[in-house]
Amino acid sequence: MNKNLPAAGLTIACLALLSACSGMKDHMAMDKPFMQDALPDAVKVPAGHQVAVQTVGVGQITYECKAKADMPGSFAWVFVGPQADLLSRGGAKLGTYFGPPATWASSDGSKVTGTQLAVAPAGAGNIPFQLVKANPAMGVGAMTGITHIQRVATQGGVAPTSPCDSTAAGRKEVVKYQADYIFWKAA
């Protein structure tokens, strides 16, 4: 025992530490309840689920200029994949999002992949809202039991507006984006 700290003070300090630790159910904790009422029906999570984790994805999406398979001589910007940090509302890094395949990985080592169920427009210049059905988690941690992932509050991320033609074929461009990723579990 530390002789400079009275026994009562040590007990209070230990209780405070235990109390703080008990509130850390998982490191990807919710900040405030998420309400999906204002979202288009196509991207709403079905009844019987509850929010488990809320994150803000901040990163970039890579696109590549490629020839269109069904239209010889035509080219288009094609989605290559995302790379983003998953942050708490306070800015602490909780994990990453990358792909393909679309993968959400927690800093605790658990991760999920998913299959897109639906998208809905999110406004000009923004990638669409999205609803994903999560595959069973790999590893044990914050992603264990996740059933659905919603992408909402999107900003940016759409394909480049620069020319994509035969002279640009194969060129890649990176576009910044931000979106909230809401993770759901069965209630």
Side-chain angles (χ1 to χ4, degrees), residues 4-184:
N4 296 326
L5 187 62
L10 182 59
T11 302
I12 292 170
C14 287
L15 288 173
L17 180 62
L18 287 173
S19 175
C21 289
S22 69
M24 297 181 348
K25 184 175 177 186
D26 74 57
H27 76 287
M28 293 181 76
M30 264 184 1
D31 298 295
K32 62 181 180 178
F34 174 75
M35 303 300 288
Q36 62 177 351
D37 300 342
L39 293 176
D41 287 342
V43 295
K44 287 183 179 177
V45 173
H49 294 84
Q50 63 188 15
V51 174
V53 178
Q54 297 183 54
T55 65
V56 178
V58 178
Q60 57 194 30
I61 298 173
T62 301
Y63 291 90
E64 182 176 354
C65 181
K66 290 188 173 185
K68 292 183 178 180
D70 58 344
M71 296 179 67
S74 296
F75 294 80
W77 289 106
V78 177
F79 175 86
V80 174
Q83 180 65 49
D85 288 335
L86 298 176
L87 309 174
S88 71
R89 299 266 186 236
K93 185 172 178 181
L94 304 174
T96 56
Y97 169 59
F98 55 91
T103 304
W104 295 264
S106 169
S107 296
D108 66 14
S110 62
K111 62 184 174 180
V112 293
T113 59
T115 303
Q116 178 175 283
L117 295 176
V119 294
N126 301 317
I127 55 175
F129 297 139
Q130 181 184 49
L131 178 62
V132 171
K133 174 75 173 151
N135 296 318
M138 295 166 268
V140 177
M143 296 299 175
T144 303
I146 297 297
T147 59
H148 294 82
I149 304 153
Q150 280 176 319
R151 180 178 69 201
V152 297
T154 59
Q155 299 174 29
V158 295
T161 56
S162 58
C164 175
D165 54 26
S166 61
T167 62
R171 190 174 81 224
K172 291 183 180 180
E173 286 201 24
V174 175
V175 178
K176 292 183 181 196
Y177 90 105
Q178 180 174 316
D180 288 359
Y181 290 96
I182 312 299
F183 297 84
W184 295 75

